Every structure is written in structure tokens, then in C-alpha cells.
Amino acid sequence: MLQISYIRENRDDVIRRLKVRNFDQLALVDEVIRLDEELRSTKIQSESIAAEGNAAAKRIGELMRQGQREEAEAIKARSGEYKDQLKVLNEQLGRLEDEFFEKIVQLPNLPYKDVPAGKTADDNEIVLEHGEKPTLPDNALPHWELAAKYDIIDFELGVKVSGAGFPVYKGKGARLQRALINFFLDQAAENGYREVQVPILINGDSGFGTGQLPDKEGQMYYVGADDLYLIPTAEVPVTNMYRGEILKQEDFPIKNTAYTPCFRREAGSYGAHVRGLNRLHQFDKVELVQIVHPDKSYEVLEEMSTYVQSLLQKLKLPYRVLRLCGGDIGFAAAMTYDMEVWSGAQQRWLEVSSVSNFETFQSNRLKTRFKGEDGKMQLAHTLNGSALALPRIVACILEENQTDKGIRVPEVLVPYTGFDWIS
RNA sequence: GGAAAGUUGGCAGAGUGGUCGAAUGCGGCGGUCUUGAAAACCGUUGUCUGUAACAGGACCGGGGGUUCGAAUCCCUCACUUUCCGCCA
């Protein structure tokens, strides 16, 4: 959520930057500003009446104590008016607040200055490409066929148990998953992240705090009986640990990492590109979350990007880094890097990580603050990134490392898998 | 699932209708003392909103009600804890 004080004082900048993300809704911004003004003037009215009412009540108390009942009764008789007036005003105020809130949550975050303009994923800026795309033999198989060939991932079995998009990993497939999770967690720990295990069902307040609610409600699985949501990413529970917290500057940077399964309904995203592991309803991911001083957040974003790349390098996967354009960037993010890994058999790039700086967009909802140098409360900056999402990594590992003899396990994983070939 | 008790400031914990934004303790910050530190002592210490600055307003789990006036009374919801049952 954007800060109203900023919108109020920087209307033109807000409009200009929203345009960078193709959010060309001048009317909405002006509506927010108008509602804010109306809200505040109504509030002033309401408060001045409340002040009179409070003073009268106080006076009655004093008179009663002095035993001057008659005078007290006289004031009491008049006090009823305040109540009636206040009731009317406060009802109006409540409506205005609802309306204001409903509008302001529709505004996405303002893109950072480095975010390129653009409409679609095609306009994303390629920051760098790393590694050679291997030339696979003509008979190279896509990962879903390799999965079947070596009997390590069973999509049909998952359909029986749950439905499409819930694969069953078997034998070395399951072991490979576990190896990757442990590898990612160990790497994160080495880089100063504290490992946490968090709930994978979250309440509505948490969903709101990180920006999934109210707008992306349909993306999450909802457990109605208990009014909880299955997490679409560990970002939600991990970041929400700091909801309402007042932090100390010395605490920064706060670095947490968590492995969790992630659940996404992916309603309406069926098509040619969702085969195999490309898009699932349930998948595993190791997530990084940092809460930092506002002055440091872009430095930290670069650091996180570099760290994620180091994982891909260790796995020897060819990848590229994109700086998402305004049109492709997420609702809550100010700037995002996507890391994509080359799928040799599918001849396409697969997104395996997304690293974002949310600046104060989340912390304003979360009320995650700290006392600054000047002693004033400030909103912290939040960042997060996948490090990494497993399925597409598995897909690329299988595809890139296929040989006649089987699939060679990347060297760094061998200590974790306990085997170096899947055959 | 059944029963009971709770939810107050960073924490602990008083407060049952008016002077309570809230005692007290701990913690934090500043100071005295000290070569330095600890202890002791003194002072200070919530958030949001609002103003040029004062003033003013809101907040004692959420929402609603009673009242001139609510942390305090009533209703309702949520959550927490304990006991019983069940159970990885």
C-alpha cells in the first residue's frame, strides 16, 4: 500500500511512475486524493465536536464530585446534542474510510527509477546471460519424458491422489528434491540467513500484510472451515513474523530463509506451457526474506541477486537475469530481477527465481517499523527472493544433464543425494 | 470435541463508571558517582492523527451497545492459556 502522505504531496510523480507500469489511472489517484481530503476535513469536524463533548463530560464529573447536582444536570441535558451530531459524522467518516481504503489498496507500488518502461515480458531488460547453452543431442527428451523413463516423477499418480499439478516424486526423484532443499538451506545459512520453519496456513491479516489479499485472493487455496489460506510462497509467513513489530536499527539487516511447500491455484493458466514441472499447484521452494534499512535496500537487492546467481553457477545451469519492466513487475514490488534457466529440451527460458524490493509497500501494510536516527518512526524496507524454486530447477537439471547412460547429478549435489547418476 | 479462565504500554502486572493514556516493577534512554564498568541514586521513556507551533482527537484483543462520561457495565466475534477427551 502506498503512503497517502506521499501521494498527497507528490501527485504528479505518482501518476508518472504508475504510467511506467502501464497503470494509467489518473482518475483513481485523484479519487484517492479527494477522499483523503474529505476524510480529513470530516475528521476535523468530528474531533472538534468530540472535544466539546469531552469537556462537558469532564465538567459534569467535577460538579458531581462537588455535589452540585443541579448544575451538572443542566450540562447533561445539553450534552445529548454532541452525541447525535457525532453519530452522524462518525457514520459518514466510517463510510469515507471504507471507500478510501478500497481505492488506495488498488494502487500498485511505484516502480524504482531503474525500472524500464514496457508492457509485457518481451520488454524486460536482459541484464546478463551466464553460461553456454549446451547443445543437446537430437533425441534429447523433455524432462517429463525423462521423469517417466527413469520412473522418478509420476504425474498420473498425483492426479489420482489429488489432481493435475500435484506430482509424486519417487525414489531418486524424491531424493533429488530433498538434496536440493538441503543444499539451498545450507548455502543460505552460510550467507548469514537464519533458517526458520513457518506455518504453511496463514490467516487473512498475513495475506493482507504481504499483498496477496484482497486483490489476489483467487490465487490461494482457501480453507473455509478455519478461515485460513495455504501459502503461495514462504514470503507470506516469514515476512509477517515482523507484522506490527518495532525494530531496532542494530537489528538490520534481518535475514531469514525458509523451506516450504507452496500452493497456487493457477486458475485459468492451462495451456501448452504448463506440461510437466513447468507449472504446478504444489511445489517446493526455499525463500529468502530480508528486512533492512531503507538506505540499504537496493544494495541488498543486488546482493540477493548475486547470491541467487551463485546457486545457479554451482549447479552449472545456464541462466540469464532480467530486470522486469513496468508492465511485468508484480503489484507490490518496486523493482524485480527474474532469474531464468535455459531448458535445453524445451528450447525456452524458465523462471526459477524472482528477487524483489518492496520498499515500504509491504511494511506500510505490515506496520513494520524502526526508530530512525532522528528518533522518528520509519517504515522498514522488505525484500524477498526465491533461492530457489525447485520444479523448474529439477526440470533443467534433468534436461541439461541427460546422456545415453542416464542423468548426471550436478557435482555439488552428490554429497546430498548420495548418488551421481540417475539411470 | 467438552469445561474454565484470560486478552491492558517493549515485557511483567495493577486498575470494576468521572481527575486513567493508565499505578508499580523490569527493560530502554540521559545524568550523578567511577580510571572504566557494575551497583546505587536522580531524571526520562507508548503509538497514530493533527498544528507553523500549541491545542485537539483516537487507541487498554476486534466490532457493536448502555451512559452526559467506559480499560471498567452489556452483547458479539476472534484469539490465547489451563484441565478433560482424542491423537502424530
Side-chain angles (χ1 to χ4, degrees):
Chain A
M1 192 160 67
L2 295 177
Q3 291 172 264
I4 183 60
S5 55
Y6 188 84
I7 301 175
R8 199 186 292 149
E9 286 155 29
N10 303 278
R11 172 181 175 274
D12 294 345
D13 180 62
V14 168
I15 288 166
R16 181 184 62 74
R17 287 165 74 186
L18 287 177
K19 271 184 190 163
V20 172
R21 55 155 76 229
N22 298 308
F23 192 90
D24 201 357
Q25 298 201 33
L26 187 83
L28 181 58
V29 176
D30 283 336
E31 178 74 351
V32 165
I33 293 172
R34 186 188 68 76
L35 285 167
D36 171 56
E37 276 169 14
E38 203 177 329
L39 195 56
R40 292 198 300 158
S41 71
T42 309
K43 211 172 207 170
I44 288 169
Q45 284 181 55
S46 149
E47 283 177 5
S48 70
I49 293 172
E52 289 179 44
N54 287 346
K58 200 170 182 178
R59 183 75 190 130
I60 292 168
E62 283 166 12
L63 291 171
M64 297 285 270
R65 233 172 302 115
Q66 291 160 14
Q68 297 172 274
R69 293 197 66 90
E70 275 170 40
E71 288 185 45
E73 289 300 329
I75 299 176
K76 209 188 263 191
R78 275 178 278 140
S79 290
E81 288 171 35
Y82 299 127
K83 213 177 154 183
D84 296 339
Q85 287 181 46
L86 257 187
K87 191 164 186 177
V88 174
L89 270 174
N90 285 342
E91 273 167 15
Q92 193 186 339
L93 201 56
R95 277 196 302 276
L96 279 169
E97 273 168 356
D98 290 348
E99 207 179 332
F100 172 75
F101 180 77
E102 192 227 317
K103 298 292 180 193
I104 197 171
V105 292
Q106 288 179 38
L107 295 174
N109 203 354
L110 303 178
Y112 186 56
K113 62 179 173 56
D114 293 354
V115 172
K119 286 201 158 56
T120 68
D122 296 333
D123 300 319
N124 292 336
E125 178 189 330
I126 299 169
V127 178
L128 64 89
E129 248 184 82
H130 182 276
E132 294 281 307
K133 295 178 191 169
T135 40
L136 297 179
D138 291 342
N139 60 352
L141 299 173
H143 68 268
W144 54 88
E145 290 187 26
L146 293 165
K149 182 176 175 184
Y150 298 109
D151 194 27
I152 50 173
I153 306 171
D154 196 327
F155 295 96
E156 288 72 28
L157 199 50
V159 169
K160 176 163 92 178
V161 176
S162 296
F166 294 92
V168 173
Y169 302 86
K170 303 193 290 193
K172 287 186 172 176
R175 187 76 182 243
L176 177 62
Q177 293 269 119
R178 185 151 59 88
L180 281 164
I181 292 162
N182 284 334
F183 171 65
F184 292 149
L185 286 173
D186 286 353
Q187 291 286 309
E190 265 180 46
N191 275 269
Y193 290 89
R194 177 183 65 162
E195 182 177 340
V196 290
Q197 284 195 11
V198 291
I200 61 176
L201 284 159
I202 49 121
N203 58 30
D205 285 345
S206 292
F208 174 75
T210 30
Q212 280 69 29
L213 296 176
D215 40 300
K216 280 178 268 175
E217 180 134 31
Q219 178 67 273
M220 290 190 288
Y221 286 96
Y222 175 61
V223 184
D226 295 291
D227 197 20
L228 296 169
Y229 299 84
L230 279 160
I231 58 169
T233 159
E235 162 198 346
V236 181
V238 176
T239 311
N240 271 283
M241 296 195 301
Y242 299 92
R243 172 154 43 85
E245 294 293 312
I246 295 166
L247 303 163
K248 295 197 179 100
Q249 285 200 66
E250 312 88 84
D251 298 335
F252 294 143
I254 294 172
K255 301 169 77 173
N256 284 300
T257 184
Y259 152 71
T260 66
C262 302
F263 303 89
R264 296 185 184 180
R265 295 186 62 227
E266 302 290 358
S269 69
Y270 298 100
H273 283 168
V274 304
R275 281 201 78 172
L277 296 172
N278 290 345
R279 175 161 266 126
L280 300 170
H281 287 309
Q282 177 181 337
F283 63 96
D284 292 305
K285 183 158 62 68
V286 172
E287 184 78 3
L288 310 174
V289 173
Q290 289 211 39
I291 297 174
V292 306
H293 192 284
D295 294 347
K296 293 276 192 275
S297 65
Y298 280 95
E299 213 172 285
V300 169
L301 182 67
E302 294 304 317
E303 168 209 307
M304 289 174 79
S305 160
T306 305
Y307 168 70
V308 171
Q309 292 178 54
S310 77
L311 298 176
L312 296 171
Q313 288 164 18
K314 284 175 183 166
L315 292 169
K316 297 201 162 39
L317 293 170
Y319 67 86
R320 66 177 187 179
V321 178
L322 304 176
R323 183 184 276 118
L324 296 194
C325 73
D328 203 28
I329 202 170
F331 186 81
M335 184 153 99
T336 298
Y337 287 118
D338 269 10
M339 284 69 183
E340 298 185 333
V341 166
W342 180 249
S343 161
Q346 299 183 72
Q347 290 289 300
R348 50 188 282 244
W349 293 100
L350 298 180
E351 181 193 331
V352 293
S353 178
S354 195
V355 184
S356 303
N357 185 357
F358 301 93
E359 297 187 7
T360 59
F361 195 84
Q362 290 183 329
S363 59
N364 188 34
R365 292 175 162 217
L366 295 159
K367 297 290 172 260
T368 300
R369 296 168 296 172
F370 69 98
K371 210 163 250 181
E373 305 272 298
D374 55 0
K376 285 196 181 144
M377 285 295 176
Q378 280 186 60
L379 295 170
H381 279 196
T382 63
L383 302 97
N384 68 53
S386 5
L388 292 157
L390 290 236
R392 294 174 187 161
I393 289 288
V394 169
C396 290
I397 286 175
L398 299 182
E399 291 178 7
E400 304 288 311
N401 298 301
Q402 59 182 302
T403 71
D404 295 340
K405 291 183 284 180
I407 295 157
R408 186 194 294 277
V409 175
E411 219 176 295
V412 288
L413 292 181
V414 174
Y416 292 93
T417 54
F419 52 81
D420 44 18
W421 286 91
I422 296 171
S423 53

